[in-house]
Amino acid sequence: MHRSCTPSGGEAMSSVQSAKFWQSTSLRWSIVLTLVLWMLTLSVAIGVADRTEQALLAGPVAAVEQLEVEFLDVLQSDRFFSPELVGEAFTGQRFPLIARDDDGFLTFLKRYVAQLRKFRTDAAPRLAAELDGRLWLLGESPTLELEDEPPEPIVELMASEVPERFHDALFVAIAERLEQWPAVGSWTELPEHTRARLVLERWQAEREALTESLCFALIDGSGTVTASNLEVIEEAAAERAGFEAYRVRLLSQPRSSEDYCWGRRVALEPTGTVFLGERVTPTFRAVLQVRDQLGGGLLLTFLVSLLVGGFLGFRIHRRLRNLNAAVADVRAGHFERRLSVRADGDDFDRLGHNINGMLDQLNRSMDGIRAVSDNIAHDLKTPLTRLRHQIDFLAQQPVPDASSVQAVADEADRLLETLNALLRIAQLEQGGRLQTVRFDLDVLVRELGELYEPVFAEQGIEFRLLAEEHPVWVDGDRALWLQALSNLIENALTHGGGQSPVVLRLASSAGQTIVEVQDAGPGIPEHEFERVFERFYRSDRARSRPGTGLGLSLVRAVADTHGVVIALENSKEPPAGLSVRLSWPPQNPA
């Protein structure tokens, strides 16, 4: 034999209270959500930091790229001026010519060429070669013996001898001849590593004012630094698209100073590299500061997120624990238990408010069930007892007469009518299916008037029918409305006060439809307006009259099912009495 045991309410509540926070689902979910949010924050923060770093380094990157372009252009050109190649040629040689105020460029140029020819006559060989170069650039055709000497120094000397106002015209005049200068053989024949060293040395010499911004280091194939203007202290943790950052000390600066250089390596033929960069100390320190703040900020937000997630998880766990405890108490039979809620609370408070309302409704339903059960027991006890006595009486008769048998049948019919009414009300309140059709309410009311007018006339009661003269279309279950309106009319017939008139009225205007049944009886006290719709409820005035106390309950159930508003009112105008009014919502036209 097996016995199934159901945990008691106390056991259920104990199990709820013993749940640990670190074992709760709310903690796990809060931590998971916290980590997800932190990961999103991490990705956003990294993206913002990357954009910030990119914006800070945009200028240095562009400067290094331009520096690399200039370096490669010079390295791959046909000629290059360097003191090492030219030596001391042309040093200090000048042939200035004073221009007249009215001189044009061509006039001045003729005088300048004549002067150069004059000096050429008795010049020493080295000076004669220089003068030949000037004359050749100005369009003359002397024999040049300057194959290993570039034209740049000669152009510089000519610019120093010609007045500044003729410089533009001079450069235009010699531009085409400059392109035709005899090729220099020694520059292009030098190894690329040597040419790179000469370019860097010339740049360092020419850009003395820029040495603080220019960083370079020439490295041969064996890894030896052959030329540099910096000393690498340590590599900085930064690299972006082939660019690197180093913490360095520029050789032109005091040994105590430290800088950051941002640059890129350029490969040389056949081996070796050159590092070209710009000094970016303030900018790169800002980059490092952004990185430091990013790391510290992310660590701080992670810890704060865990604390906030744990706090929120604990709050949710506590609220759920209280909710589960209250539900366990109700399950154990303590139906008076309610959740504590705040007036302006959160979703849990709104949930608690709804649960409290549900419990209140359940209590009211249970009270109603108990009341209905009591009423059924009370109201069916008498007819069942009477039916039992009548059956016993018939059993004692040798041959029961027809009237006694009919009385038993009538009593049984009344009991079946009561039970059928209860069953129909229950079906309607539980959402029973309706046979919904569109019907003419005016026709239904007239049918009821024709049906009940003889009944009222037989009892000497005046019955008035005030109906519309045109169709009044409504949607609903026609049979249910026929029964509900019949109940109202019979209720007025029973409680209307004897010879008092009863009025059945139908009115429709502006989409509003009203059916009203009014009697001239004593009415109902206003404090009983709601109670008369309860099952088996009968006021003190009605207990002396026949009835089950279910008529108005059925009317209320039919009206609520169809969305029709029912209202009671004690009429203050003659004929005095109770008025029951049914108001239909606006209907779509047929």
Side-chain angles (χ1 to χ4, degrees), residues 54-70 243 262-264 277-278 280:
Q54 185 177 358
L56 289 172
L57 295 175
V61 165
V64 172
E65 289 177 342
Q66 180 62 30
L67 186 65
E68 180 182 350
V69 170
E70 294 178 3
F243 291 87
W262 177 258
R264 183 157 63 182
E278 291 282 336
V280 290

Side-chain angles (χ1 to χ4, degrees), residues 468-520:
E468 295 285 318
E469 296 181 357
H470 56 79
V472 179
W473 297 99
V474 295
D475 295 323
D477 191 320
R478 192 178 191 277
L480 282 179
W481 279 117
L482 181 63
Q483 182 178 0
L485 295 179
S486 297
N487 286 358
L488 290 180
I489 295 173
E490 290 180 359
N491 191 70
L493 177 64
T494 304
H495 306 289
Q499 306 300 318
S500 304
V502 174
V503 179
L504 174 61
R505 181 183 297 109
L506 170 63
S508 177
S509 62
Q512 184 74 23
T513 300
I514 296 176
V515 173
E516 184 177 13
V517 178
Q518 181 179 357
D519 60 41

Side-chain angles (χ1 to χ4, degrees), residues 219-489:
I219 306 169
D220 61 17
S222 63
T224 303
V225 178
T226 59
S228 178
N229 70 335
L230 55 87
E231 175 187 351
V232 177
I233 299 176
E234 67 176 358
E235 295 188 8
E239 184 176 350
R240 178 183 290 273
F243 291 87
E244 301 171 306
Y246 293 90
R247 191 157 65 96
V248 302
R249 181 182 67 82
L250 294 177
L251 300 179
S252 59
Q253 300 297 318
R255 296 192 61 83
S256 59
S257 64
E258 293 182 0
D259 293 293
Y260 289 97
C261 280
W262 177 258
R264 183 157 63 182
R265 297 176 182 270
V266 179
L268 300 176
E269 294 291 344
T271 57
T273 57
V274 60
F275 173 79
L276 293 175
E278 291 282 336
R279 177 177 172 270
V280 290
T281 302
T283 301
F284 196 71
R285 283 177 178 167
V287 171
L288 294 179
Q289 186 176 7
V290 169
R291 293 189 174 189
D292 291 341
Q293 291 178 351
L294 174 64
L298 290 176
L299 178 60
L300 179 62
T301 55
F302 177 72
L303 296 177
V304 172
S305 298
L306 285 180
L307 291 177
V308 172
F311 173 72
L312 294 178
F314 177 75
R315 287 196 61 188
I316 295 173
H317 169 74
R318 184 178 61 183
R319 303 293 293 274
L320 290 176
R321 182 184 60 188
N322 295 337
L323 177 62
N324 288 329
V327 172
D329 284 347
V330 174
R331 175 180 151 190
H334 304 287
F335 298 108
E336 74 283 354
R337 174 70 187 273
R338 295 295 182 270
L339 294 173
S340 60
V341 297
R342 296 170 295 184
D344 55 345
D346 53 14
D347 290 340
F348 282 102
D349 291 317
R350 286 189 286 272
L351 176 62
H353 178 75
N354 290 331
I355 291 177
N356 289 341
M358 178 187 69
L359 294 175
D360 292 339
Q361 182 63 35
L362 286 175
N363 275 345
R364 286 193 295 269
S365 299
M366 294 181 65
D367 291 340
I369 292 173
R370 283 192 292 267
V372 168
S373 301
D374 294 343
N375 289 332
I376 290 176
H378 179 271
D379 285 19
L380 294 186
K381 179 180 180 181
T382 299
L384 286 174
T385 302
R386 187 165 53 247
L387 182 62
R388 173 66 179 174
H389 289 165
Q390 290 174 348
I391 293 174
D392 290 341
F393 176 76
L394 290 177
Q396 296 174 3
Q397 301 296 323
V399 180
D401 62 283
S403 61
S404 299
V405 174
Q406 185 63 40
V408 173
D410 292 341
E411 192 68 34
D413 288 340
R414 283 192 292 272
L415 286 173
L416 288 175
E417 180 182 351
T418 300
L419 293 175
N420 286 332
L422 285 172
L423 179 61
R424 193 58 177 145
I425 292 172
Q427 290 174 343
L428 291 174
E429 291 179 346
Q430 295 176 8
R433 296 183 60 183
L434 302 177
Q435 301 296 327
T436 303
V437 295
R438 171 151 286 201
F439 64 94
D440 187 355
L441 190 60
D442 180 73
V443 173
L444 178 64
V445 170
R446 290 182 183 279
E447 289 179 0
L448 288 171
E450 294 174 359
L451 177 65
Y452 280 97
E453 187 174 5
V455 178
F456 278 87
E458 184 180 349
Q459 297 190 22
I461 301 175
E462 181 183 0
F463 181 77
R464 300 175 187 171
L465 174 62
L466 304 177
E468 295 285 318
E469 296 181 357
H470 56 79
V472 179
W473 297 99
V474 295
D475 295 323
D477 191 320
R478 192 178 191 277
L480 282 179
W481 279 117
L482 181 63
Q483 182 178 0
L485 295 179
S486 297
N487 286 358
L488 290 180
I489 295 173

